[in-house]
Amino acid sequence: MSIEVAEDLQAQFNELNNAAFYILGEGSNTVFLEDYQGTVIKPAFMGIDLEYTETHYRLKVGAGENWHQLVLWCMQHQIYGLENLALIPGTVGAAPIQNIGAYGVEIEQFIYQVDYYDLSEQSHKSLDSQGCEFAYRDSVFKKRLADKVVITSVTFAVPKNWQAVVHYGELKELFELSAIDIFNKVVEVRQSKLPDPAKIGNAGSFFKNPIVSKDLFGKLQQTWPSIPSYPVDTDKVKIPAAWLIDQLGFKGKKIGGIGCHPKQALVLTNDGSGTGEQLLQLARTIKSAVLSEFSIVLENEVRLIGKNGPVIL
Ligand code: EPU
């Protein structure tokens, strides 16, 4: 069921009569392991409204707009800041839910307001950036408000005073610092490492990068001196899950039609013949191998949906 007008939301939900439902953007971060028995709801609120404040571009964007098309639109209108987040699949409405991030930028930096319809209170509401409780691949929409709201639009505040973010990985090689150069580089890097979901089935990073105590990290360093990490706070670091999975030799390994991507160990692919059962098998094998070798519990980043709703890995 596609909903185009925010005012119609309650009437459409009433029609469901309390039956199970799942809200889906473009499906780029969801894997249906088998046929879902409930109703799939697709918010299709569209449009981009641009306002100018003294210091910022303020863009109010419909939740159904495609994320990458918004980044492109900004580049075409010389609104710079979102270029590091080019080519992330999915919709604008999904972006704040998991606080999309790549190449040193997370969307929380640009969120001014998220408008949503609260299904239990039957009213339209909004949250500012702080109210969204953003963290790494996390927000209030995955916790307290999970499955209770439909995001209708997201308002971004993009500073007019643009600053390049080129401290992450491959971007460090950049000397010409225009936003378009960064945009082009991010597109190039993503296309070279990540399989295009339109061509080979995948949902991006399957696992989140685990955040561990410095204590555990120190112990792991004794056995694995080259283990990479990113600082989080004074007590914790984030470890690339891809590195852990890679060390255990999973790259290129397959169970039926489901495989661990040869160029990015964090991505699980389906050649078209894979089943939900095979995906669970490979993901669980990886998860338990990482636990026994590194004492780290991996969490899936992708949403797994079975016949009756969410499935726990
Ligand atoms: N690495 C390996 N083996 C691999 C891939 C990576 O050892 O097969 C190691 C390398 O040490 C590398 C490090 O992992 O330096 C980090 O790899 P990469 O830069 O590819 O990023 P990532 O941590 O694996 C995260 C996001 C991606 C995002 C990139 C770039 C998560 C779960 N994933 O991946 O987001 O594009 O950084 O910023 O945080 C997504 O969420 O779907 C996604 C693709």
Side-chain angles (χ1 to χ4, degrees):
M1 172 163 91
S2 169
I3 306 179
E4 282 91 24
V5 185
E7 283 64 36
D8 292 350
L9 270 163
Q10 194 55 49
Q12 305 254 23
F13 272 91
N14 287 344
E15 270 179 40
L16 282 178
N17 237 336
N18 290 326
F21 65 88
Y22 183 75
I23 301 167
L24 189 72
E26 287 175 9
S28 51
N29 202 45
T30 299
V31 175
F32 288 96
L33 298 163
E34 51 194 339
D35 282 345
Y36 176 60
Q37 299 296 299
T39 301
V40 173
I41 294 173
K42 181 166 171 46
F45 316 117
M46 308 306 272
I48 303 176
D49 289 331
L50 173 60
E51 280 179 19
Y52 303 85
T53 70
E54 211 168 294
T55 52
H56 288 75
Y57 300 104
R58 198 170 285 169
L59 296 120
K60 183 173 179 179
V61 187
E65 294 284 351
N66 173 273
W67 173 261
H68 180 68
Q69 292 306 316
L70 172 66
V71 178
L72 262 179
W73 188 93
C74 287
M75 297 299 112
Q76 284 156 1
H77 289 77
Q78 281 140 47
I79 297 171
Y80 301 132
L82 302 183
E83 54 279 355
N84 295 51
L85 304 177
L87 227 55
I88 295 183
T91 60
V92 166
I97 298 178
Q98 58 153 337
N99 188 15
I100 57 168
Y103 304 101
V105 172
E106 283 182 310
I107 197 55
E108 63 168 293
Q109 294 163 234
F110 297 98
I111 300 277
Y112 179 73
Q113 184 173 303
V114 177
D115 297 325
Y116 62 92
Y117 186 75
D118 187 314
L119 293 164
S120 43
E121 298 189 15
Q122 307 201 354
S123 60
H124 290 273
K125 295 186 168 186
S126 16
L127 283 174
D128 63 11
S129 182
Q130 214 182 353
C132 291
E133 298 171 27
F134 288 119
Y136 165 64
R137 292 293 190 277
D138 203 14
S139 75
V140 71
F141 303 107
K142 284 176 83 172
K143 296 181 289 196
R144 185 167 53 80
L145 296 182
D147 304 322
K148 294 194 171 69
V149 305
V150 180
I151 293 177
T152 51
S153 66
V154 182
T155 306
F156 302 93
V158 182
K160 287 181 176 170
N161 179 13
W162 173 74
Q163 294 200 321
V165 180
V166 284
H167 62 75
Y168 186 94
E170 292 88 340
L171 300 191
K172 284 185 192 153
E173 299 156 15
L174 285 191
F175 298 108
E176 283 198 39
L177 297 182
S178 86
I180 300 295
D181 290 333
I182 297 173
F183 173 87
N184 288 334
K185 184 71 183 175
V186 168
V187 167
E188 183 195 312
V189 172
R190 288 189 75 100
Q191 284 177 338
S192 71
K193 286 212 283 201
L194 298 170
D196 178 353
K199 293 187 186 133
I200 175 152
N202 78 92
S205 302
F206 189 87
F207 296 102
K208 288 196 256 188
N209 286 337
I211 294 173
V212 305
S213 67
K214 281 196 174 162
D215 189 36
L216 173 59
F217 183 67
K219 285 183 189 137
L220 291 171
Q221 266 181 321
Q222 290 169 14
T223 322
W224 311 86
S226 64
I227 185 169
S229 70
Y230 306 104
V232 172
D233 59 30
T234 46
D235 313 314
K236 297 196 185 80
V237 295
K238 188 157 72 179
I239 301 177
W243 187 91
L244 303 171
I245 298 167
D246 206 348
Q247 297 309 301
L248 300 175
F250 279 105
K251 246 184 193 170
K253 286 267 155 53
K254 291 189 100 178
I255 294 186
I258 304 293
C260 180
H261 192 57
K263 291 192 197 151
Q264 222 307 356
L266 198 46
V267 178
L268 302 186
T269 57
N270 185 345
D271 66 11
S273 69
T275 64
E277 197 45 52
Q278 288 165 351
L279 176 68
L280 284 179
Q281 236 182 305
L282 182 58
R284 285 176 177 152
T285 306
I286 292 173
K287 186 173 169 167
S288 68
V290 168
L291 178 62
S292 68
E293 189 65 40
F294 301 103
S295 309
I296 290 175
V297 179
L298 287 184
E299 283 175 38
N300 45 310
E301 201 253 333
V302 168
R303 292 180 172 212
L304 301 171
I305 304 295
K307 203 160 80 178
N308 301 311
V311 169
I312 291 167
L313 196 61

PDB file of all heavy atoms in Angstrom, residues 16 20-21 43 70 83 136 181 213 230:
ATOM      1  N   LEU A  16      -6.507  -1.079   7.985  1.00  0.00           N
ATOM      2  CA  LEU A  16      -5.746  -2.291   8.305  1.00  0.00           C
ATOM      3  C   LEU A  16      -6.371  -3.076   9.446  1.00  0.00           C
ATOM      4  O   LEU A  16      -6.129  -4.271   9.601  1.00  0.00           O
ATOM      5  CB  LEU A  16      -4.318  -1.936   8.726  1.00  0.00           C
ATOM      6  CG  LEU A  16      -3.321  -1.594   7.638  1.00  0.00           C
ATOM      7  CD1 LEU A  16      -1.994  -1.220   8.276  1.00  0.00           C
ATOM      8  CD2 LEU A  16      -3.133  -2.775   6.720  1.00  0.00           C
ATOM      9  N   ALA A  20      -1.059  -6.894  11.031  1.00  0.00           N
ATOM     10  CA  ALA A  20       0.378  -6.599  11.041  1.00  0.00           C
ATOM     11  C   ALA A  20       0.768  -5.766   9.814  1.00  0.00           C
ATOM     12  O   ALA A  20       0.196  -5.925   8.734  1.00  0.00           O
ATOM     13  CB  ALA A  20       1.159  -7.903  11.031  1.00  0.00           C
ATOM     14  N   PHE A  21       1.727  -4.849   9.995  1.00  0.00           N
ATOM     15  CA  PHE A  21       2.204  -4.053   8.866  1.00  0.00           C
ATOM     16  C   PHE A  21       3.712  -3.836   8.996  1.00  0.00           C
ATOM     17  O   PHE A  21       4.287  -3.982  10.083  1.00  0.00           O
ATOM     18  CB  PHE A  21       1.486  -2.708   8.785  1.00  0.00           C
ATOM     19  CG  PHE A  21       1.765  -1.814   9.970  1.00  0.00           C
ATOM     20  CD1 PHE A  21       2.867  -0.958   9.971  1.00  0.00           C
ATOM     21  CD2 PHE A  21       0.937  -1.838  11.092  1.00  0.00           C
ATOM     22  CE1 PHE A  21       3.128  -0.143  11.071  1.00  0.00           C
ATOM     23  CE2 PHE A  21       1.208  -1.031  12.190  1.00  0.00           C
ATOM     24  CZ  PHE A  21       2.302  -0.184  12.182  1.00  0.00           C
ATOM     25  N   PRO A  43       5.612   4.770   2.325  1.00  0.00           N
ATOM     26  CA  PRO A  43       5.355   6.208   2.361  1.00  0.00           C
ATOM     27  C   PRO A  43       5.915   6.843   1.078  1.00  0.00           C
ATOM     28  O   PRO A  43       7.081   6.662   0.777  1.00  0.00           O
ATOM     29  CB  PRO A  43       6.141   6.696   3.584  1.00  0.00           C
ATOM     30  CG  PRO A  43       6.537   5.451   4.326  1.00  0.00           C
ATOM     31  CD  PRO A  43       6.610   4.364   3.313  1.00  0.00           C
ATOM     32  N   LEU A  70      18.550  13.229  -4.000  1.00  0.00           N
ATOM     33  CA  LEU A  70      18.619  14.466  -3.210  1.00  0.00           C
ATOM     34  C   LEU A  70      20.051  14.995  -3.171  1.00  0.00           C
ATOM     35  O   LEU A  70      20.287  16.205  -3.329  1.00  0.00           O
ATOM     36  CB  LEU A  70      18.110  14.219  -1.783  1.00  0.00           C
ATOM     37  CG  LEU A  70      18.319  15.403  -0.839  1.00  0.00           C
ATOM     38  CD1 LEU A  70      17.464  16.607  -1.254  1.00  0.00           C
ATOM     39  CD2 LEU A  70      18.016  15.031   0.613  1.00  0.00           C
ATOM     40  N   GLU A  83      27.891  15.523   0.067  1.00  0.00           N
ATOM     41  CA  GLU A  83      28.609  14.754  -0.969  1.00  0.00           C
ATOM     42  C   GLU A  83      29.239  13.455  -0.467  1.00  0.00           C
ATOM     43  O   GLU A  83      29.324  12.478  -1.202  1.00  0.00           O
ATOM     44  CB  GLU A  83      29.663  15.638  -1.676  1.00  0.00           C
ATOM     45  CG  GLU A  83      30.662  16.331  -0.783  1.00  0.00           C
ATOM     46  CD  GLU A  83      30.117  17.607  -0.138  1.00  0.00           C
ATOM     47  OE1 GLU A  83      28.987  18.015  -0.460  1.00  0.00           O
ATOM     48  OE2 GLU A  83      30.817  18.182   0.707  1.00  0.00           O
ATOM     49  N   TYR A 136      25.696   5.974  16.491  1.00  0.00           N
ATOM     50  CA  TYR A 136      26.185   5.246  15.326  1.00  0.00           C
ATOM     51  C   TYR A 136      25.124   4.249  14.834  1.00  0.00           C
ATOM     52  O   TYR A 136      24.725   3.364  15.571  1.00  0.00           O
ATOM     53  CB  TYR A 136      27.492   4.524  15.688  1.00  0.00           C
ATOM     54  CG  TYR A 136      27.904   3.459  14.704  1.00  0.00           C
ATOM     55  CD1 TYR A 136      28.237   3.796  13.381  1.00  0.00           C
ATOM     56  CD2 TYR A 136      27.955   2.127  15.066  1.00  0.00           C
ATOM     57  CE1 TYR A 136      28.595   2.829  12.478  1.00  0.00           C
ATOM     58  CE2 TYR A 136      28.322   1.147  14.163  1.00  0.00           C
ATOM     59  CZ  TYR A 136      28.637   1.503  12.866  1.00  0.00           C
ATOM     60  OH  TYR A 136      28.988   0.531  11.967  1.00  0.00           O
ATOM     61  N   ASP A 181      34.485  17.191  -6.478  1.00  0.00           N
ATOM     62  CA  ASP A 181      35.577  16.199  -6.480  1.00  0.00           C
ATOM     63  C   ASP A 181      35.308  15.113  -5.451  1.00  0.00           C
ATOM     64  O   ASP A 181      35.537  13.931  -5.696  1.00  0.00           O
ATOM     65  CB  ASP A 181      36.920  16.861  -6.132  1.00  0.00           C
ATOM     66  CG  ASP A 181      37.414  17.761  -7.249  1.00  0.00           C
ATOM     67  OD1 ASP A 181      37.055  17.506  -8.405  1.00  0.00           O
ATOM     68  OD2 ASP A 181      38.143  18.720  -6.945  1.00  0.00           O
ATOM     69  N   SER A 213      35.166  -2.149  24.432  1.00  0.00           N
ATOM     70  CA  SER A 213      35.935  -1.429  25.447  1.00  0.00           C
ATOM     71  C   SER A 213      37.409  -1.388  25.024  1.00  0.00           C
ATOM     72  O   SER A 213      37.895  -2.285  24.312  1.00  0.00           O
ATOM     73  CB  SER A 213      35.814  -2.129  26.786  1.00  0.00           C
ATOM     74  OG  SER A 213      36.455  -3.389  26.711  1.00  0.00           O
ATOM     75  N   TYR A 230      38.682   2.826  15.239  1.00  0.00           N
ATOM     76  CA  TYR A 230      38.364   4.254  15.185  1.00  0.00           C
ATOM     77  C   TYR A 230      37.997   4.686  16.600  1.00  0.00           C
ATOM     78  O   TYR A 230      37.295   3.956  17.303  1.00  0.00           O
ATOM     79  CB  TYR A 230      37.165   4.519  14.268  1.00  0.00           C
ATOM     80  CG  TYR A 230      37.302   3.961  12.872  1.00  0.00           C
ATOM     81  CD1 TYR A 230      36.616   2.809  12.488  1.00  0.00           C
ATOM     82  CD2 TYR A 230      38.110   4.584  11.926  1.00  0.00           C
ATOM     83  CE1 TYR A 230      36.736   2.289  11.201  1.00  0.00           C
ATOM     84  CE2 TYR A 230      38.234   4.073  10.648  1.00  0.00           C
ATOM     85  CZ  TYR A 230      37.553   2.925  10.285  1.00  0.00           C
ATOM     86  OH  TYR A 230      37.680   2.422   9.019  1.00  0.00           O
TER      87      TYR A 230
END
